[in-house]
Structures are given as structure tokens and as C-alpha cells.
Amino acid sequence: MSKALDGVRILDFTHVQSGPTCTQLLAWLGADVIKVEKAGEGDATRGQLRDIPGVDSLYFTMLNHNKRSVTVNTKDPKGKEVLERLIKTCDVLVENFAPGALDRMGFGWEQIQALNPRMIVASVKGFGPGKYEDCKVYENVAQCAGGAASTTGFDDGPPVVTGAQIGDSGTGLHLALGIVAALYQRNTSGRGQKVLAPMQDAVLNLCRVKLRDQQRLDRTKTLNEYPQYPDTPFGDAVPRAGNASGGGQPGSILKCKGWETDPNAYIYFITQAAVWPAVCKVIGQEDWITDPAYATPAKRLSHLKAIFARIETWTMTKTKFEAMDILNEFDIPCGPILSMKEIAEEPSLRATGTVVEVDHPERGKYLSVGNPIKMSDSPTEVTRSPLLGEHTVEVLEQLGYSAGDISALREAKVI
């Protein structure tokens, strides 16, 4: 069966996480991704956070599946010639270098367009154009600058970054969509274009509900769905909301049986208006169904702390999975707090390819995240990440280099 991006060739100049997330997703969708690395070193994450000495780290392997690796000394004139051939034969160049790095290599937008007018040049940067565009940005910096940290955590504590890599991986996902859109537009325009995904912008896109709430706060001076209401005055900026949903369906994380010793014995419980009578019956508080103080969602907002405290007395008598089974019978929205260990061992995630086991020639078998996008006519087979320079000869042969040419490049330490 064909793949969605069969025939698309990606020249991958990315490293660490944001760019590799993008190119790995494109590879999963069927693109031929050629990862260009420095001989002897490669992507910095090959050696970061190693759990097996001398073997590519999980950090690298889990971000570079389904790719081919070539090593090229881009500072050597012969190496530049290899890159020129690659640019002429590829559809997309993806990079997350520091601003201006491609220009300093001699492969700025104008040079690339001269070599291949159909090439799409896609870039991850920390910030978009403006006073911070030259600043170096990492995951947590992006979360802070994009508005996530200021709105995460509890009101009596400092800003908090999330464990979800919304700055790096989140930006990579945004960039992949931009690339696919640019490829589609090229079908009619015949031209390549530049695609930019700043990390700050991507994080803000994922935090759009908080920008929504900022405007509501400016207008009404209160946010009734937030846990500060009605006891704590609101300032002029959206506060941290703890585990509240901050939306139209109030929710909270509640203790379950075993919470004293299990840090993940919790459940997320949503008191959706449509199932309010069912909630009351499940927890044995039927009188709330007819109590005027709890009659409408708006009236319940001022009692949320007491409501969730009462619900928690019920959830504490059940394991999170027992509570899930009971609540789902009544269509009450809820979800267990799953640890990474539980996720790794969940059979349904293995069955759908969301968690996959991959065999690596040096590290052996390991678990990784599979393609989160499921397509009926383009199934994903997750293959292992490449060894450093594993496909250099193969790619050079496809570019028209002879065995003698390749030997000469190797002797000159160009590859």
C-alpha cells in the first residue's frame, strides 16, 4: 500500500527535538527523510542522556525513526557540492539552526532558490521577527514566552512548565502541517516557499484559551470558572488555575483509593451540566438535584470547592479504574491519571501503534511513541533510527556519485 507522502524527499538539517519531531512525522507519513549530520559527531542527542555507554541515546532514537543518515563536512567545497546535489533533488529543506546559520553556510534562501525554485525551506526558530528573533530558545523558554508557564500551576505558587514538550515537539507538529500545506500549494503555483514556525507562536497557539480568558477578564474583571472565584480578587492578568478546566465544564483532579502511597492514584472528574443529576446519584447526594443553590451551572460555580470536596469523599473509596468503570456507565466525563509506567504497559496503546517496540542493532529492543495520526490508506510502520552516516554511500550513489568518487570523498574526510 502506498504512503501519503510517497515521492516526497526531505533534506533534514534538524537536530535535538523540535526539528526532528517534524521530520519524523513526515517520515512516518511516507516521505524519504535524509538526515545530514557531521561526521564523527552527528546530532547532539545521540550522546545525551545515554543509558547504554557508546550507544545512541533514547533521546535520539525516539525522534529519528524512519530516516536515513548521511555525514557530510559542509565546510569543505566538495561537501558543499554534495549539498547542492541534494538541494536540487529534494522537495523540502528543514532546519532549526540559529538564525542566519544557513546564510553563513552559503545556502541562504536566494542560493537555494537558484538551485531549486521548487524547494520549500522550513524553519523552526525561537521567536518570530522582532526584538527577540536572534535569541536562543529551548523548550522551557518557549513555554514561558508563549504564555503557558504563567497560567500553569497553583495560585499560591510560582509559574510552572509542563512535562509535555509543547515548545519543541509542539512546534515540530505545527511546522509539519506548514510543510504539507506548502507542498499542496506547490501543485498549483509550481514554486517553493519559506515556512516558519516560531516556538513562541506555537506555544501561544496551544494556549489560545488563556488569551480568550485574558480578554474576558479585561471586560468582566472576573473569571467565574476559575478556582479563585468567588473568594479571591482577580488581578489584571489571567491567573494560574491549578487543575481547574477553566472552561464551561468544571473539572478537578481528585484523590482515589491508595493515594497515600501511590502518587498517581487520582482521577480527573468533570461535572458536566448534562450529567449533573447522575453525579449527584452516584455520590449519594440526591438532594442537590432539587436544591435551588445547585439548580444551574451558574449557581454551582460559587460552590465548586464544596462540590469537588464531596465528590472526592466518594472517589477515595474507589481505585481510579473502579471509579472510571462506574462513572462511564453514566457518561460522566472522567479520566485516570496514568503514569508513564502504566502507559508503557497499556495493551490498547500497543495494539493501535501508539506505543511501539523497536529493535535497534546496538541497544536492542526499546519502546517508543508511534505515529499519533492514523490513516486508513497510509498505515505507519515504525522503523529504527539510523546509525550515524549509515546511508551516506547509498544516498551518494543515488545522487550519481561513482564508487571512485565516494572513495575520494571518504579519503578527504568530506563524508
Side-chain angles (χ1 to χ4, degrees):
M1 187 176 289
S2 65
K3 302 291 186 181
L5 295 181
D6 270 351
V8 174
R9 179 171 283 186
I10 310 290
L11 184 54
D12 185 2
F13 271 105
T14 69
H15 57 287
V16 191
Q17 185 179 162
S18 59
T21 297
C22 168
T23 52
Q24 178 172 260
L25 182 58
L26 298 173
W28 280 339
L29 295 175
D32 176 15
V33 176
I34 301 171
K35 186 177 179 74
V36 179
E37 302 184 76
K38 187 176 181 179
E41 296 180 23
D43 190 318
T45 57
R46 285 185 183 271
Q48 287 182 4
L49 306 176
R50 274 186 171 138
D51 56 320
I52 303 175
V55 174
D56 287 340
S57 72
L58 288 166
Y59 195 8
F60 176 84
T61 61
M62 293 175 70
L63 285 163
N64 292 281
H65 292 123
N66 297 58
K67 301 179 184 180
R68 297 195 287 170
S69 170
V70 301
T71 53
V72 182
N73 179 0
T74 58
K75 295 180 180 179
D76 188 285
K78 294 292 185 181
K80 289 184 182 296
E81 182 184 319
V82 172
L83 291 185
E84 286 182 0
R85 291 202 196 187
L86 282 168
I87 288 170
K88 289 176 180 178
T89 60
C90 288
D91 298 284
V92 186
L93 185 154
V94 190
E95 60 91 17
N96 61 335
F97 292 131
L102 273 182
D103 294 284
R104 291 190 291 274
M105 288 170 60
F107 291 98
W109 172 248
E110 292 76 14
Q111 290 80 7
I112 290 173
Q113 283 285 285
L115 291 167
N116 183 355
R118 290 175 56 83
M119 173 159 272
I120 293 157
V121 178
S123 304
V124 170
K125 294 291 177 276
F127 294 94
K131 61 181 179 179
Y132 298 126
E133 63 184 304
D134 293 328
C135 293
K136 201 171 191 177
V137 173
Y138 288 94
E139 170 66 44
N140 289 352
V141 175
Q143 288 195 30
C144 293
S150 70
T151 55
T152 303
F154 290 89
D155 199 38
D156 58 354
V160 177
V161 297
T162 174
Q165 303 292 281
I166 61 175
D168 278 325
S169 288
T171 304
L173 294 173
H174 282 85
L175 188 65
L177 175 59
I179 290 169
V180 171
L183 285 167
Y184 184 82
Q185 186 174 11
R186 194 180 69 176
N187 290 335
T188 52
S189 72
R191 301 191 309 273
Q193 62 181 295
K194 291 186 285 185
V195 180
L196 172 65
M199 296 171 72
Q200 181 187 40
D201 299 30
V203 171
L204 176 57
N205 187 46
L206 298 174
C207 294
R208 66 177 63 196
V209 296
K210 299 301 182 179
L211 184 58
R212 171 203 68 188
D213 290 348
Q214 181 61 52
Q215 295 171 88
R216 294 172 57 227
L217 180 62
D218 290 341
R219 186 179 299 276
T220 67
K221 310 305 177 187
T222 185
L223 295 170
N224 294 359
E225 300 83 4
Y226 276 57
Q228 289 80 1
Y229 176 82
D231 308 314
T232 306
F234 286 84
D236 61 359
V238 173
R240 291 180 273 287
N243 291 320
S245 68
Q249 309 295 339
S252 187
I253 290 180
L254 306 178
K255 296 173 183 174
C256 289
K257 188 176 182 180
W259 68 272
E260 299 92 341
T261 56
D262 181 355
N264 296 298
Y266 290 83
I267 193 169
Y268 199 91
F269 194 112
I270 296 176
T271 57
Q272 186 181 29
V275 294
W276 174 248
V279 171
C280 297
K281 291 176 183 177
V282 166
I283 66 173
Q285 200 72 51
E286 290 91 339
D287 58 303
W288 280 356
I289 298 173
T290 56
D291 190 329
Y294 300 90
T296 66
K299 289 186 176 180
R300 290 194 288 273
L301 288 176
S302 59
H303 303 292
L304 284 181
K305 293 183 182 69
I307 288 171
F308 282 119
R310 174 65 184 87
I311 295 172
E312 191 171 57
T313 64
W314 178 82
T315 59
M316 289 172 65
T317 67
K318 311 284 188 254
T319 69
K320 60 189 178 186
F321 298 112
E322 290 171 344
M324 272 284 291
D325 290 341
I326 294 170
L327 296 172
N328 278 316
E329 289 181 14
F330 297 91
D331 290 328
I332 297 170
C334 59
I337 309 304
L338 295 180
S339 69
M340 279 297 149
K341 180 175 175 59
E342 289 169 319
I343 288 172
E345 296 172 353
E346 173 54 49
S348 65
L349 296 178
R350 301 285 189 97
T352 59
T354 299
V355 175
V356 296
E357 186 175 75
V358 183
D359 200 359
H360 189 274
E362 294 180 343
R363 71 161 35 257
K365 293 182 178 179
Y366 67 95
L367 290 184
S368 189
V369 175
N371 190 353
I373 300 170
K374 320 299 184 188
M375 300 176 67
S376 62
D377 284 358
S378 184
T380 299
E381 178 189 0
V382 177
T383 60
R384 66 169 176 84
S385 60
L387 301 176
L388 180 60
E390 181 177 353
H391 304 94
T392 302
V393 171
E394 175 182 284
V395 171
L396 289 178
E397 287 175 344
Q398 291 174 348
L399 292 174
Y401 283 88
S402 68
D405 294 333
I406 294 170
S407 271
L409 291 172
R410 185 176 284 117
E411 288 176 12
K413 297 185 177 178
V414 173
I415 60 173

